[in-house]
Amino acid sequence: MSTSTDWTLIPGSAQDIAQVRERCRRLVRRRAMISAGVSALPIPGVDVMSDLSLFALLIKDINEAFGLTPEQIERLQPKFKLIAYEVAVGMGGMLVGRLVTRELMVSLLKRSGVKMLAKQAARLVPLAGQLASAAIGFTVFRQIGYQHVDACAAVARELLVARPDA
């Protein structure tokens, strides 16, 4: 294991962080639209499985864009790893720098359980229910995605401030 830090993986300026943040927010909106489209399908259970896989991939992509995958964080010096994890925990960013597992995703979705329950209940009314379910799914997916993007941006900003050459 090397003791040098590979800063090329983490956005190198406040402007870079802002650009990565906006790019990731666009990605969140696109994936939320896909999630909403699947939610509108009248096939029970497909939307939950789709959301789990779409969201796991989204988290991986966002972490990677900010240089905050588990592998990328592992390359940081211990002092900077600690900063990354402390900021992530402080922001409630439980997915920053973490390998996204099915159990972690189920836990996250349970945290927004009331909205998911409303989404499933809305399906009981034929067409209007499917549209409501899609709208709720889009909103929940986007909200959780945006929170993760903001947590990653906060971690990247703190690491930028702590950089020895900053």
Side-chain angles (χ1 to χ4, degrees):
M1 184 174 113
S2 171
T3 57
S4 68
T5 298
D6 188 354
W7 290 108
T8 61
L9 301 172
I10 299 167
S13 69
Q15 183 179 2
D16 290 344
I17 293 169
Q19 288 172 346
V20 170
R21 180 180 178 272
E22 188 50 44
R23 192 171 65 240
C24 287
R25 286 174 65 91
R26 280 193 305 270
L27 181 62
V28 167
R29 288 189 296 272
R30 280 196 303 269
R31 300 265 173 92
M33 289 296 291
I34 294 168
S35 171
V38 172
S39 293
L41 297 174
I43 305 168
V46 170
D47 61 330
V48 174
M49 293 309 296
S50 173
D51 281 354
L52 286 175
S53 61
L54 273 173
F55 205 74
L57 184 59
L58 176 71
I59 296 302
K60 178 187 155 301
D61 291 345
I62 292 169
N63 283 345
E64 193 171 290
F66 279 100
L68 297 172
T69 65
E71 298 81 19
Q72 291 166 323
I73 289 178
E74 195 55 41
R75 293 181 192 167
L76 296 175
Q77 293 175 3
K79 166 182 153 181
F80 300 113
K81 281 188 222 180
L82 185 61
I83 290 170
Y85 286 122
E86 283 179 346
V87 174
V89 168
M91 289 276 307
M94 64 186 254
L95 300 174
V96 176
R98 299 267 311 263
L99 182 63
V100 180
T101 63
R102 180 182 169 99
E103 292 77 23
L104 189 58
M105 292 308 304
V106 169
S107 167
L108 183 64
L109 290 175
K110 281 181 182 176
R111 286 175 48 187
S112 51
V114 173
K115 291 178 185 169
M116 289 303 198
L117 183 60
K119 179 178 167 182
Q120 292 303 319
R123 290 177 165 270
L124 299 177
V125 180
L127 183 59
Q130 288 169 272
L131 294 175
S133 177
I136 293 168
F138 175 84
T139 302
V140 169
F141 196 100
R142 186 184 63 187
Q143 179 183 359
I144 295 170
Y146 279 1
Q147 287 172 350
H148 183 63
V149 169
D150 290 343
C152 286
V155 170
R157 281 191 294 272
E158 286 299 317
L159 287 172
L160 183 63
V161 169
R163 274 174 88 157
D165 59 352

